[in-house]
Amino acid sequence: MALNSGILELDLHGLNQYGARVRVDAALKKAGPGIYRIRLIHGYQGGTALRNLVRSRYRSHPKVLRLECGLNPGVTELVLREF
């Protein structure tokens, strides 16, 4: 877990789906008012299971305003509030 100016970064490489859910749920639970985004680095070349999990499960999470999937297909950002 790395914190960079209001963005909490989680590297999910090497985790299975259960482990990834546990890490993301914990980050969402402890994200205070100083955190406005959680950047999830899940990769994509080794398969898309983690990417699909993140994008389907957290799209409608009550703390998540929206998902942002930029130019890098291996990263998904959970926007918790506008900066």
Side-chain angles (χ1 to χ4, degrees), residues 14 18-20 23 29 32 37 39 45 47 51 59 70 74 76 83:
Y18 175 77
R23 296 254 341 252
K29 190 173 186 176
R37 286 179 184 247
R39 180 174 295 141
Q45 290 184 343
R51 181 181 70 187
R59 180 177 310 280
T76 301
F83 180 65

Side-chain angles (χ1 to χ4, degrees), residues 22-57:
V22 168
R23 296 254 341 252
V24 175
D25 288 344
L28 281 167
K29 190 173 186 176
K30 82 174 206 182
I35 304 294
Y36 67 95
R37 286 179 184 247
I38 298 177
R39 180 174 295 141
L40 304 173
I41 304 168
H42 46 68
Y44 70 97
Q45 290 184 343
T48 59
L50 290 180
R51 181 181 70 187
N52 295 343
L53 166 78
V54 163
R55 293 181 181 178
S56 66
R57 181 174 175 94

Side-chain angles (χ1 to χ4, degrees), residues 1-2 8-15 20 23 39-43 50 74:
M1 247 189 284
L8 182 64
E9 196 169 276
L10 293 176
D11 188 348
L12 304 177
H13 284 100
L15 297 176
R23 296 254 341 252
R39 180 174 295 141
L40 304 173
I41 304 168
H42 46 68
L50 290 180

Side-chain angles (χ1 to χ4, degrees), residues 51-68:
R51 181 181 70 187
N52 295 343
L53 166 78
V54 163
R55 293 181 181 178
S56 66
R57 181 174 175 94
Y58 298 102
R59 180 177 310 280
S60 60
H61 191 280
K63 280 192 159 183
V64 177
L65 186 62
R66 70 177 183 278
L67 297 183
E68 284 192 1

